[in-house]
Amino acid sequence: RWSVRVRTALKWSAAPSLHVGSYAYCTPLAHQGAAEIVPVQSLENAGKTILYFDFQRQRFELNEETQEVKELHCPIDLPLKEYVNWRGMPDLDAVKMAVDRYGNNS
């Protein structure tokens, strides 16, 4: 079995940007798993197209304008009042959008 680094050098070339249909080469920190080549995907959320890929059970979103990749985090920095007064998702569409973006918490 070939290493991911060798397969990448033989089969793929660097691209100027990431888009749906391209692949991302992900390298974890030392001693935290193996490198992988993962597909870039997209989803529609609130009328906006979001590009992302999943690596080691974590979702990473791509900012197309800056070409930055950031790990997706659930919102945890809202004022405490927002969480205390929260009454849940308003409808099933909102639930579906949240599950599509953040995953099913597994």
Side-chain angles (χ1 to χ4, degrees):
R1 183 173 177 193
W2 291 85
S3 76
V4 174
R5 181 185 285 178
V6 171
R7 271 190 295 147
T8 302
L10 293 174
K11 288 183 159 185
W12 284 283
S13 60
S17 65
L18 292 172
H19 56 278
V20 175
S22 62
Y23 291 82
Y25 175 69
C26 301
T27 306
L29 297 173
H31 311 294
Q32 293 189 5
E36 286 184 59
I37 300 167
V38 295
V40 175
Q41 302 173 50
S42 71
L43 63 92
E44 290 291 324
N45 196 311
K48 182 179 171 187
T49 300
I50 299 172
L51 296 179
Y52 71 93
F53 61 85
D54 295 323
F55 173 64
Q56 291 186 341
R57 296 182 59 181
Q58 291 290 324
R59 181 156 292 176
F60 295 85
E61 287 188 350
L62 307 163
N63 183 328
E64 290 185 87
E65 295 164 4
T66 62
Q67 288 299 305
E68 290 181 327
V69 175
K70 292 193 177 182
E71 185 176 354
L72 178 64
H73 295 284
C74 292
I76 59 170
D77 56 353
L78 298 173
L80 182 59
K81 184 178 180 180
E82 292 283 329
Y83 299 108
V84 171
N85 294 331
W86 180 251
R87 297 293 174 238
M89 297 286 187
D91 55 32
L92 287 177
D93 288 337
V95 172
K96 183 181 179 333
M97 285 185 353
V99 170
D100 287 347
R101 184 163 187 204
Y102 297 105
N104 62 4
N105 200 23
S106 61

